[in-house]
Amino acid sequence: MDFDLSTGLAELVGSPPQQSVVDVAAAVRQGRSRRRRRRLGVAAASLAFAVGVSGLALALPGQGHGVTAAAPTTTAPADLPPDTGHDPLTTEVQFGWLPDWARGSDGIGYSADYQGPSPQAFAMVRGNPARGFSELRLTLLPAGQVPDATKLNGRPAQRSAAPQVNGGTAYWLTPSADPRLPTDEHALRWLTSSGRWAELQGQWGEDAGATAVVLRVAAGVTYGKWAVPLPVRLTGLPADFKVALATLAPSMNGSDWTVAVAMTVGNSLVTINVGPSLPLPPSGSPYPGKSIHNGGYPGAPGCISQAGLDACVDSPPGYETALQAVGGVHGVADRLVLLGGDRASWTTEVTN
Amino acid sequence: MAKPKRDAEFIEFASTRATWLRGVAYLLCADWHRADDLVQETITKLYVHWPRLARVENMDGYARKALVNTFLSEQRSPWERWRARWQAQELPDAPVFAPDLDASVDLREALAALPPRQRTAVVLRYYCDLTVEQTAEAMGCSTGNVKSQTSRGIDALSRRLLAGPATVAEGVV
């Protein structure tokens, strides 16, 4: 049986289940704001600098390399508890000072990849594109690993001098961008006092205001070993279930968040996605509605709803064999306890 | 006087292209709400750069490229990166993806299961009807990469949609 792919794709988009909420007028308003932000970047940054960086010795690019970005006196948005070994999501870095668009702790996410080609963990803060930033990702490289100063995300990049960060060598990295596209991916790398390299990566403008913000964020980073509270408990799984990846990601618009945990057991894979509850799709709709669950939706097999949150447990076809010992995805879902959307009720004793 | 004229031109362009862009965005992300977000962000970017886009010959192509770029940029989230790597079977001892014979597995689900770049290549080639070269331009990669991404995407779709060996043919799965 042959299937006409082009026709099938056209049919998929032919009958949207709801009206578009794309707002051209809003695009104009926000676009104007971004243009203003770009034009006024230098002046605004200078003013913010003078007002808000009391006691902070921070150099703008091109003003000499002997001036150092020092740690600000402000504290982290929220100190994380120490790692107790029962949380699948741990971090070695915390943001200190962040600009107001970061929305404090609610705008910060973390990710830990334990089984990748080069396991790593990082913290991120979702930004506000209208304020010149869409995301900042903070990574502490493994001990002994020296980053390639000629590449950023595998693409050829240009290195340029940056002021020191807390006395450590630092440099900027900018990829060779397609000038026809509005891409602003950059990185700041610096040597920490422990001898490990750290990196802040994201999309920001090249004006002095943006780089000053990045330098101040870098100077405020703290290092250690912490556990990230999660809105879920998961108990009773056999010891051969190994966490492959865990992430707490704020949404792009900052209004909510998603937690994802991937575990392997033998050749099997199980993923757990947790997020705030969303409305059920209309009865009879062929579309499951907005999915925060990696293809799942409230009421789907392996999905549960508790305390205002939804969670879906999934295992790709062909990967679920070893899950049968615990009752498949349903068995894993039965072991979940969701703690609600109030972060004060979240726990680091996830698997205890 | 030039600014209101430019704004009017932008509003006309964005208003008449929003539905088309939304369809492409939906095929890329498999979620109508997120498709709206992608289009909103794309046309906002277009507005920011609108004054210097007057000399662009193919504005539709530029807008589509900006949409693809916005979509692929979002895929840099850790979860999406991890999923893409897993689905690309880069982890050791990953079993061969088993054909799903369940008739309820439809094209939407099969498309959504593709890694982002494979999905983008398939959508641009088979929905937007772009050539390999045009697809490479839109995705910012080589033609060889487009061919391999498309081939792998079609192969994965075939295995999920059909009960039997994959049939890869131009325009037909």
Side-chain angles (χ1 to χ4, degrees):
Chain A
M1 180 177 66
D2 283 347
F3 178 80
D4 186 329
L5 179 57
S6 297
T7 302
L9 293 174
E11 288 174 349
L12 275 183
V13 302
S15 52
Q18 70 264 328
Q19 290 291 315
S20 169
V21 295
V22 173
D23 187 340
V24 175
V28 171
R29 285 194 301 274
Q30 192 169 53
R32 284 177 180 158
S33 172
R34 291 188 197 180
R35 282 186 194 167
R36 274 197 302 274
R37 177 82 181 164
R38 285 168 179 246
R39 282 198 300 267
L40 300 177
V42 174
S46 300
L47 179 62
F49 224 35
V51 172
V53 194
S54 176
L56 174 67
L58 188 61
L60 299 182
Q63 292 186 326
H65 307 294
V67 187
T68 296
T73 54
T74 51
T75 56
D79 281 337
L80 295 172
D83 180 25
T84 60
H86 299 125
D87 192 326
L89 183 53
T90 59
T91 181
E92 292 183 288
V93 286
Q94 283 197 71
F95 286 106
W97 178 87
L98 284 170
D100 58 352
W101 53 251
R103 305 178 307 277
S105 303
D106 291 353
I108 299 176
Y110 299 88
S111 178
D113 181 349
Y114 303 101
Q115 293 188 358
S118 54
Q120 61 170 299
F122 62 86
M124 60 184 165
V125 57
R126 284 276 158 80
N128 181 346
R131 303 289 298 275
F133 291 83
S134 60
E135 185 176 290
L136 283 176
R137 296 182 299 281
L138 168 64
T139 307
L140 182 64
L141 273 60
Q145 182 175 329
V146 179
D148 184 346
T150 66
K151 288 185 178 177
L152 180 59
N153 297 328
R155 296 168 56 195
Q158 293 184 325
R159 169 181 174 159
S160 59
Q164 292 183 338
V165 175
N166 294 330
T169 302
Y171 63 87
W172 302 104
L173 212 54
T174 303
S176 305
D178 184 339
R180 294 165 297 181
L181 277 180
T183 54
D184 298 305
E185 191 79 14
H186 303 283
L188 171 68
R189 290 176 180 162
W190 69 96
L191 199 55
T192 68
S193 59
S194 68
R196 295 168 67 178
W197 282 90
E199 178 184 271
L200 263 174
Q201 189 180 139
Q203 292 176 300
W204 61 76
E206 293 187 82
D207 60 74
T211 55
V213 167
V214 175
L215 284 166
R216 190 176 178 192
V217 171
V221 171
T222 52
Y223 311 92
K225 186 68 185 277
W226 299 283
V228 179
L230 296 178
V232 61
R233 290 184 193 275
L234 174 61
T235 56
L237 284 179
D240 54 350
F241 277 70
K242 304 295 183 188
V243 176
L245 174 133
T247 178
L248 164 64
S251 63
M252 289 301 283
N253 63 13
S255 62
D256 51 35
W257 46 267
T258 303
V259 165
V261 178
M263 306 178 84
T264 57
V265 49
N267 273 342
S268 291
L269 169 71
V270 60
T271 61
I272 302 166
N273 288 264
V274 183
S277 291
L278 291 170
L280 285 166
S283 177
S285 168
Y287 302 95
K290 185 171 185 177
S291 167
I292 57 169
H293 306 303
N294 221 15
Y297 52 93
C303 295
I304 62 169
S305 296
Q306 294 173 2
L309 304 182
D310 296 330
C312 281
V313 181
D314 190 24
S315 185
Y319 290 101
E320 70 277 63
T321 309
L323 295 181
Q324 291 173 0
V326 295
V329 294
H330 298 281
V332 177
D334 288 344
R335 290 168 167 82
L336 295 176
V337 176
L338 308 184
L339 303 177
D342 181 0
R343 291 176 188 244
S345 65
W346 293 10
T347 184
T348 57
E349 297 293 324
V350 177
T351 58
N352 193 16
Chain B
M1 290 301 290
K3 187 177 175 183
K5 182 172 181 289
R6 282 201 304 266
D7 280 1
E9 290 170 348
F10 169 80
I11 290 169
E12 180 185 6
F13 176 84
S15 300
T16 55
R17 304 308 198 279
T19 301
W20 163 66
L21 286 171
R22 189 178 184 233
V24 179
Y26 173 70
L27 292 178
L28 293 177
C29 70
D31 182 318
W32 285 109
H33 296 275
R34 195 172 154 218
D36 282 340
D37 291 344
L38 282 172
V39 174
Q40 188 71 40
E41 175 62 18
T42 298
I43 64 174
T44 303
K45 287 178 178 174
L46 287 178
Y47 180 82
V48 172
H49 296 266
W50 192 253
R52 61 185 175 89
L53 298 182
R55 286 172 292 177
V56 173
E57 291 182 1
N58 180 5
M59 267 309 302
D60 287 345
Y62 184 93
R64 181 172 48 220
K65 183 172 180 176
L67 174 70
V68 168
N69 185 266
T70 301
F71 167 70
L72 291 177
S73 293
E74 282 196 4
Q75 307 314 307
R76 297 187 187 123
S77 75
W79 181 240
E80 292 294 344
R81 277 197 299 269
W82 192 87
R83 265 173 57 84
R85 201 176 66 230
W86 175 273
Q87 288 169 339
Q89 302 184 14
E90 291 181 7
L91 287 179
D93 301 320
V96 173
F97 202 86
D100 192 331
L101 308 184
D102 187 342
S104 68
V105 176
D106 64 8
L107 176 59
R108 187 188 62 81
E109 292 172 335
L111 190 67
L114 295 182
R117 293 191 72 82
Q118 286 183 26
R119 196 182 323 142
T120 303
V122 168
V123 169
L124 292 178
R125 293 281 285 119
Y126 291 97
Y127 178 69
C128 298
D129 204 25
L130 300 189
T131 65
V132 170
E133 289 74 19
Q134 290 168 331
T135 304
E137 157 77 6
M139 294 179 65
C141 63
S142 69
T143 55
N145 188 254
V146 168
K147 290 176 183 175
S148 65
Q149 296 280 4
T150 307
S151 174
R152 292 166 69 183
I154 293 293
D155 191 45
L157 285 177
S158 300
R159 280 184 284 159
R160 294 209 67 165
L161 290 167
L162 301 176
T167 302
V168 180
E170 188 71 17
V172 173
V173 176

